[in-house]
Amino acid sequence: MLKALRGTKDILPADAALWQFIESSARDIFAIYDYKEIRTPVIEEASLFIRSIGNATDIVQKEMYVFSDRGERSIALRPEATASIVRAYLENSLGQEKAVTKLFYIGPMFRSERPQKGRQRQFHQLGVEAIGSDNPLLDVEVISLAARIMRALGIKDFNLNINSLGCQKDKANIIEKRRKAVKPYLNSLCDECKERYNKNVLRIFDCKNAGCRKIAEGIESDNLLCSDCAGHFEAVKKGLKVIGINFIVDPKIVRGLDYYTKTVFEVTQKDLGAKDAICAGGRYNSLIEEMGGKDTPAVGFAFGIERMILSLEKDRHLIKPELDVFFAVTGEGMHEKAFQLMNNLRDKGLSCDIDYDEKSLKAQMRMAEKLGARSVIIFGEDEIKREKVSLRDMLKREQKEVDLKDIVEEIKANSKKGAISC
Ligand code: HAM
């Protein structure tokens, strides 16, 4: 039997309600912060990611899906969205409309990683990019937006860890300093980190290997920020405090993508384990210029939606299917009439379903329960002759006869009572 590819998953109808809940809650919050949606293609020229994420990063070296198309162009499935959004921002001159261009996105990303809990090859991100200002309050806005999404979804027990990598000059200093500090331990590093020592020394500091972690933990993280970047970081921390967002300064946060400057952050959550972030982001003040645009500072983040789902797993039962009315049909030849009424109710915007298999009334009531019906219309020959139906309120477990002319109002009243709260 054909199966989904390793590291990819179907999102089945039973899970779709939770995905929709996450996406619609996030959309509501994006609107509150005035972020507008952008949808970019899932395929791009591979060079876009090589140039922006960095040639020496794990994503580009080991994880990117790259193929030659029929025209022998080197194409990549996007491993993340920031690079694509920068490309779209420049290509479509989006910066001309407003001083700060605020964008959000939701969609699939692709990385050929070893699949495990919370790590897939096709996964989904929802994120934002705020392009056009270096104001530390924009960093605070973006972080508070992420925190508000978690609050709205009921994601608890999370830690916000922040750091500043400084400007490009500071970053170069930090790299140099770290290289010197790591040198005495070079032989004790894992094979990958031995390679990283030359190519991408900062990545040694977020290696998952226990030996490398121990070495990294033992190395003092000096403050090497210039006064401008140090001031920027202080202002970010102050802004977070003012609006009551708790954070931990963690100088070991370096991020796995090369484009970051100044503020970087990661959000970890208890149910995922300390190693995996549910959300991560930061500033990338040099990227737009490096990609051929004007000097344009920017900041953003992305959540991993699968990881949001994992952290909501224990609350999944709160999200139940919903249906305004289910038609339980009794009596010979009544289906067509019931179908006609159902069509009228759908015209009024009520969600309806019916049993097509002519099951017993008991089986139909079980089905109504399973579908999360707020009301059941028991459609019988006798009642219809009197222009009535029996209407069961599934929440109160009460049943009454209702005139056909009043049916819409009665169903709406039941649906309101049973509105789902998450
Ligand atoms: P990232 O840290 O590579 O950053 O990914 C962001 C989030 O995507 C992670 O924290 C995680 O929740 C999720 N994620 C990453 N890889 C996987 C995977 N294989 N399976 C499941 N979830 C995964 C970025 O992508 C940046 N573009 C974020 C950003 C936006 N920075 C600035 N703007």
Side-chain angles (χ1 to χ4, degrees), residues 80 82 105 111 113 118-120 123 125 128-129 255 257 259-260 277-282 284 300-302 304 307:
E80 59 110 48
T82 310
Y105 54 93
R111 295 183 195 176
E113 297 192 77
R119 177 160 300 153
Q120 291 179 197
F123 60 100
Q125 285 186 341
V128 301
E129 310 296 347
R255 308 284 299 120
L257 304 93
Y259 50 61
Y260 289 109
I278 183 170
C279 170
Y284 45 97
F301 69 72
R307 293 186 191 179

Side-chain angles (χ1 to χ4, degrees), residues 122-272:
Q122 176 174 334
F123 60 100
H124 298 76
Q125 285 186 341
L126 66 83
V128 301
E129 310 296 347
I131 306 174
S133 172
D134 187 40
N135 192 323
L137 285 178
L138 195 57
D139 307 43
V140 176
E141 168 171 302
V142 157
I143 293 172
S144 79
L145 203 168
R148 201 182 286 269
I149 289 177
M150 287 188 283
R151 225 180 311 135
L153 295 174
I155 296 175
K156 295 181 199 86
D157 302 321
F158 61 85
N159 279 329
L160 165 66
N161 305 294
I162 64 170
N163 188 24
S164 176
L165 301 176
C167 52
Q168 292 291 33
K169 223 165 142 196
D170 293 345
K171 235 174 124 176
N173 269 340
I174 295 173
I175 290 171
E176 205 37 54
K177 199 78 187 253
R178 293 275 172 99
R179 191 170 279 133
K180 268 197 198 132
V182 170
K183 198 168 179 192
Y185 308 99
L186 202 52
N187 288 333
S188 317
L189 294 173
C190 71
D191 289 346
E192 248 177 277
C193 281
K194 280 184 187 134
E195 263 183 56
R196 286 175 179 150
Y197 177 77
N198 290 319
K199 287 193 198 154
N200 203 356
V201 73
L202 292 183
R203 293 290 294 164
I204 295 174
F205 291 81
D206 67 357
C207 177
K208 309 279 187 277
N209 177 293
C212 300
R213 277 173 89 97
K214 204 155 171 226
I215 293 169
E217 272 157 26
I219 290 173
E220 282 279 313
S221 10
D222 305 296
N223 195 348
L224 292 168
L225 301 183
C226 65
S227 63
D228 179 35
C229 292
H232 190 277
F233 194 38
E234 283 311 311
V236 172
K237 289 188 276 185
K238 190 171 164 222
L240 290 173
K241 277 186 198 146
V242 166
I243 57 166
I245 293 184
N246 295 329
F247 58 88
I248 301 161
V249 176
D250 180 357
K252 296 270 155 51
I253 293 182
V254 292
R255 308 284 299 120
L257 304 93
D258 279 356
Y259 50 61
Y260 289 109
T261 53
K262 290 194 175 172
T263 317
V264 284
F265 62 94
E266 288 179 356
V267 181
T268 52
Q269 203 272 337
K270 204 179 94 239
D271 298 336
L272 298 174

Side-chain angles (χ1 to χ4, degrees), residues 26 37 39 75 79 85 96 121 130 139 190 201 208 213 234 241 244 259 261 303 318 352 354 367 389 418:
E37 184 168 12
R39 300 184 193 197
I75 306 291
I85 289 171
Q96 283 172 2
R121 292 182 172 166
D139 307 43
C190 71
V201 73
K208 309 279 187 277
R213 277 173 89 97
E234 283 311 311
K241 277 186 198 146
Y259 50 61
T261 53
F303 275 96
L318 295 174
C352 312
I354 194 167
M367 196 168 161
V389 284

Side-chain angles (χ1 to χ4, degrees), residues 341-400:
L341 176 60
M342 184 166 73
N343 199 48
N344 293 342
L345 297 187
R346 284 176 173 161
D347 286 344
K348 301 273 188 264
L350 293 169
S351 57
C352 312
D353 210 347
I354 194 167
D355 158 50
Y356 287 103
D357 286 343
E358 307 194 12
K359 290 198 189 83
S360 70
L361 182 60
K362 210 168 153 196
Q364 292 187 72
M365 294 309 284
R366 270 201 307 269
M367 196 168 161
E369 195 84 53
K370 209 170 147 195
L371 295 175
R374 298 275 165 266
S375 304
V376 176
I377 290 180
I378 301 163
F379 203 90
E381 205 170 349
D382 287 349
E383 290 96 332
I384 283 299
K385 275 186 192 148
R386 289 184 283 119
E387 298 272 303
K388 287 178 188 294
V389 284
S390 293
L391 185 72
R392 188 169 175 78
D393 178 337
M394 295 295 276
L395 211 69
K396 284 193 172 167
R397 314 240 158 237
E398 286 169 6
Q399 197 164 314
K400 61 179 177 188

